[in-house]
Amino acid sequence: MKNKSTLEETKHLMLAIQLIKLGARLQLLESETSLSRERLIKLYKEIKFSSPPKGMLPFSTDWFLTWRPNIHSSIFMNIYNFLVKNTELRGVYALIKAYQLYLEQVGIKLVNTDDEPSLSLTRAWTLIRFVEGRMLKMETCHCCHGQFIVNADDLNQNYTCNLCNVPSRAGKTKRVKENSLKAIEEVAYS
Ligand SMILES: [Zn+2]
């Protein structure tokens, strides 16, 4: 944090606080703010009353393609793309707004610690990087016309989404499908 103005430093501090409250891990904080690792750890402890989880992020693209995570990832990505297309929000600020709207959409309030969102903020951040890195992309389901996350390397001709092609092991499928489709449609047509 050398040669930074007080205002600039405050901006990064506020950003870090917001990200920590939304569940960001250290790697995300280090990447998106210019605060030192020591400062971020101290801040994290003050806000969360515990140390940040250690180690590298274990995420691969596979996680985003499994049934439930894929639906949540797709809802988030629809919101994120909508914001980037229709607002001035970019980068980490688009991430934050899209994630807040995603939480609203799936009915999760982070103040209730029992409510663990399927897609964490750090995973949402990783998802955007995978899409920007062209490892994952959005594809239109030929059945419901919703946009879903798919592997960019797969042939996705006549792609059928996870909601239109529900595996038998997914419980409460009808309700999940209806709610998720509604969420995706709301974003797509708002
Ligand atoms: Zn579909």
Side-chain angles (χ1 to χ4, degrees), residues 120-165:
S120 69
L121 179 73
T122 307
R123 280 198 203 268
W125 174 68
T126 312
L127 172 63
I128 294 168
R129 300 207 308 177
F130 282 149
V131 171
E132 285 175 352
R134 296 176 197 275
M135 292 157 84
L136 296 172
K137 63 169 187 173
M138 297 295 267
E139 186 66 65
T140 306
C141 168
H142 81 282
C143 183
C144 67
H145 306 293
Q147 294 260 317
F148 293 83
I149 290 288
V150 297
N151 190 334
D153 292 331
D154 285 350
L155 285 174
N156 292 298
Q157 258 187 333
N158 287 330
Y159 166 72
T160 308
C161 77
N162 284 319
L163 291 171
C164 293
N165 188 14

Side-chain angles (χ1 to χ4, degrees), residues 31-43:
S31 171
E32 298 296 341
T33 75
S34 57
L35 301 177
S36 71
R37 190 182 179 86
E38 292 67 38
R39 239 174 131 202
L40 287 168
I41 291 172
K42 195 164 172 276
L43 198 62

